Amino acid sequence: MRPIFSLRTNLVLNIHCFSNSKLQRISTSSSSAQQPINDVPLFIASDELQRCTSLTTLRKLHAKIFSYGLYHTNLWTKIAGLYVSFERVDAARFAFEFLSNPSSYLWNILIRGYATHGFFGQSLILYWEMMQKGLKPDKFTFPFAFKCCAGLSDLNVGRLVHQHLVCCGCSHDVFVTAALLDMYAKCGHTKAARLVFDKMSVRDVVCWTSMISGYAHNGCNSETMVFFDLMRASGVQSNRVSILSVLLACGNLGALRKGEWLHSYVIQTGFEYDILVATAVMDMYTKCGSLELARRLFDDTPGKDVVCWSAMIASYGIHGQGRNSLDVFNDMLRAKVKPNHVTFTCILSSCSHSGLLEQGKKCFESMAKDFGISPQLNNYACMVDLLSRSGQLSEAEELIQNMPVEADASIWGSLLGACRIYGNLDLAERIADRIFELDPFHAGYHVLLSNIYAAKSRWKEVERVRRMMVRRGTNKVQGLSLIEFNNVVHKFGVRDRSHPQSDKIYDLLDELVGPMKRLGYVPLTDFVLHDIEEEAKEEALLYHSEKLAIAFGLINTPPGTPIRVTKNLRICGDCHNAIKIISRIVNRIIIVRDMHRFHHFEDGHCSCGDYW
């Protein structure tokens, strides 16, 4: 018998002709009579599909199968699966809709296809439709349903799918529980993820990695470090994702000693040649305040890509060395590595932190002119920040208003921060209304406006903003400072007395006040947001979290040892002035990393040049 796939037909088939999940009629025409279905062996069609290796061939096979009336469920299921493998989920949906009673296997193919290619909403809609048809989800359905919930960060739907999982009796499957754990972690519910993890009888590297990355990306840095050590102790081999996550957490904590150990671990496990891991190690050193080690690693890394170059540019930027960032950028161009949007975000941010206004403007203009890159929102945000920090408030506001994309609250927030620096109350009040329209529940913008009023002793307005925060349910983020000692990270809050060495810490700060004032320290009491006596304000300033952490470092480390402190908020002006003088008194290098940049204090001076 002559195979049907060598016959010529004039079939007209449009695999895109469905709308709103309802199949439209397909028009076909044939110049020759069709061969009877009973004379066509299904195994030939199945065999041809099995050997199909391209989308073009699949489309031809699909057309011929349709033209010869081969409406067998297994054939159409294979067609749908192949379309999914060729990333044509829309065409797979056509095959799915063609069958009046698709199997659970075919439902799973479509759910998986949409989930795999990022169409999370469509995948979940199919999941609900599957259940409405009376079909029971199985161990092949749930992992992709959870993947969609994680992709959408929809914890409520994720919990509902979790209930279905329990009812269907699939909660003991290792792949399903791994997906459930990952969903909770990516939706920010690390406690629920940990409960799932603790109940698992079998924990592979995927489960461990999901917990570690979940902790890291939800800001649970200490938990990330602990869990990574537990994974190693259990004998599970680390993978790239777990190593990247623990490096991120280590950098966020500013734990240099632990970071050095992690670098040696990366070398031992062979990940030093992975460009992403090498870049993450470099970033970790940068965040731990060791720019020298970061640069040494950068120079020794072969095959540097645009991500690695951009990270080095950003490293110099957050340490206030904008001119070095420009040098690296020029080296990158000479190395024939093409910059992207992220690169320009890094270089513009570096110029902003160093007050390099003219250089930043030239870089911004060169994006489209020399590299054909249209500025995106982050690039405009950096440019607004550069203008604002440089005191060009009118120009910054004009740029915001003329942007081709709508400015978000963070861009307006940069301008509001500059109003605090330059004391422009009128502009601050005008743009604050705009910010609160865009993001009414962000505590930081309320606090910033409150700071501006407090600096002008406008206490009624300070109280009004405070009441607004209470009414909207926004809470000020607590200022915390971290310092590593003997591989343990110690945490301090404002006026914190929970540390075992609190008495010694407070006594040392009290002893330093006299020498500090003799060297010219004057408390900046406008940073205290309460209408209280000056003496009480000075006392409140003395026990800010970064001062407590520095005092702890002075007590516990040998003379001459650098002190490294990490703070989760922007360092206040009073602490900045005080730490400059403390560095001179104790003859120590004090490195403070706040939420925006590094400050290297030495002999009464700061690397930022009082520009931050």
Side-chain angles (χ1 to χ4, degrees), residues 310 312-326 343-356 360 382 386 597 611:
S310 300
M312 194 66 241
I313 292 170
S315 296
Y316 277 121
I318 64 174
H319 281 268
Q321 299 185 26
R323 297 192 183 279
N324 286 336
S325 290
L326 290 168
T343 310
F344 279 101
T345 297
C346 295
I347 195 67
L348 290 171
S349 178
S350 299
C351 291
S352 178
H353 286 306
S354 300
L356 302 176
C382 290
L386 172 60
R597 59 167 299 152
Y611 184 90

Side-chain angles (χ1 to χ4, degrees), residues 106-163:
L106 186 52
W107 281 93
N108 285 339
I109 286 177
L110 263 292
I111 291 171
R112 182 194 71 197
Y114 278 120
T116 302
H117 296 103
F119 301 105
F120 303 129
Q122 293 92 321
S123 183
L124 285 176
I125 289 172
L126 274 178
Y127 173 82
W128 301 125
E129 290 178 356
M130 178 183 182
M131 296 193 67
Q132 290 170 357
K133 293 284 186 180
L135 295 172
K136 188 177 179 181
D138 55 26
K139 64 181 182 179
F140 301 105
T141 315
F142 286 112
F144 295 102
F146 287 129
K147 177 183 176 71
C148 295
C149 296
L152 296 171
S153 297
D154 196 328
L155 182 59
N156 292 329
V157 175
R159 284 171 168 163
L160 189 58
V161 176
H162 187 181
Q163 292 176 8

Side-chain angles (χ1 to χ4, degrees), residues 125-266:
I125 289 172
L126 274 178
Y127 173 82
W128 301 125
E129 290 178 356
M130 178 183 182
M131 296 193 67
Q132 290 170 357
K133 293 284 186 180
L135 295 172
K136 188 177 179 181
D138 55 26
K139 64 181 182 179
F140 301 105
T141 315
F142 286 112
F144 295 102
F146 287 129
K147 177 183 176 71
C148 295
C149 296
L152 296 171
S153 297
D154 196 328
L155 182 59
N156 292 329
V157 175
R159 284 171 168 163
L160 189 58
V161 176
H162 187 181
Q163 292 176 8
H164 298 165
L165 168 66
V166 175
C167 294
C168 292
C170 298
S171 56
H172 298 293
D173 183 89
V174 63
F175 296 105
V176 173
T177 50
L180 174 63
L181 185 160
D182 188 63
M183 181 275 294
Y184 277 125
K186 288 181 177 176
C187 288
H189 201 333
T190 53
K191 289 184 179 179
R194 180 63 188 269
L195 288 174
V196 174
F197 180 87
D198 289 341
K199 292 179 181 179
M200 296 178 71
S201 57
V202 179
R203 300 164 183 158
D204 61 6
V205 65
V206 175
C207 301
W208 281 98
T209 300
S210 293
M211 279 304 310
I212 291 169
S213 61
Y215 276 133
H217 290 93
N218 284 289
C220 305
N221 300 304
S222 297
E223 292 85 346
T224 304
M225 308 284 281
V226 170
F227 232 75
F228 182 77
D229 290 337
L230 287 173
M231 182 180 75
R232 291 179 51 254
S234 69
V236 177
Q237 185 67 38
S238 306
N239 59 12
R240 175 202 268 184
V241 176
S242 62
I243 290 176
L244 290 173
S245 298
V246 75
L247 285 169
L248 173 66
C250 185
N252 289 338
L253 290 172
L256 181 60
R257 299 282 84 80
K258 183 71 172 181
E260 290 174 334
W261 178 89
L262 283 171
H263 188 189
S264 67
Y265 179 78
V266 165

Side-chain angles (χ1 to χ4, degrees), residues 407-421:
D408 60 12
S410 65
I411 292 181
W412 287 106
S414 296
L415 187 54
L416 184 63
C419 292
R420 167 71 177 89
I421 297 171

Side-chain angles (χ1 to χ4, degrees), residues 341 344-345 348 364 367 374-383:
H341 290 98
F344 279 101
T345 297
L348 290 171
F364 186 74
M367 286 184 65
S374 299
Q376 294 186 353
L377 191 63
N378 283 344
N379 306 125
Y380 280 107
C382 290
M383 197 61 205

Side-chain angles (χ1 to χ4, degrees), residues 478-483 489-507 509 539-549 551-552:
Q478 182 186 7
L480 296 174
S481 292
L482 311 176
I483 182 170
V489 176
H490 298 260
K491 183 186 298 184
F492 295 90
V494 179
R495 295 185 178 180
D496 191 348
R497 287 189 176 272
S498 62
H499 196 276
Q501 292 182 304
S502 287
D503 290 341
K504 292 182 179 179
I505 291 170
Y506 277 73
D507 288 344
L509 287 176
E539 183 178 341
L541 290 170
L542 183 60
Y543 305 130
H544 276 191
S545 64
E546 49 267 65
K547 294 188 181 87
L548 297 176
F552 170 83

Side-chain angles (χ1 to χ4, degrees), residues 292-358:
E292 299 79 8
L293 289 175
R295 181 58 196 252
R296 190 184 307 170
L297 179 60
F298 174 79
D299 290 337
D300 293 341
T301 300
K304 292 184 278 288
D305 61 4
V306 64
V307 177
C308 190
W309 282 98
S310 300
M312 194 66 241
I313 292 170
S315 296
Y316 277 121
I318 64 174
H319 281 268
Q321 299 185 26
R323 297 192 183 279
N324 286 336
S325 290
L326 290 168
D327 290 340
V328 174
F329 179 67
N330 290 327
D331 290 341
M332 175 184 177
L333 298 181
R334 283 190 286 269
K336 306 299 183 184
V337 178
K338 186 178 180 180
N340 58 19
H341 290 98
V342 176
T343 310
F344 279 101
T345 297
C346 295
I347 195 67
L348 290 171
S349 178
S350 299
C351 291
S352 178
H353 286 306
S354 300
L356 302 176
L357 179 60
E358 294 305 318

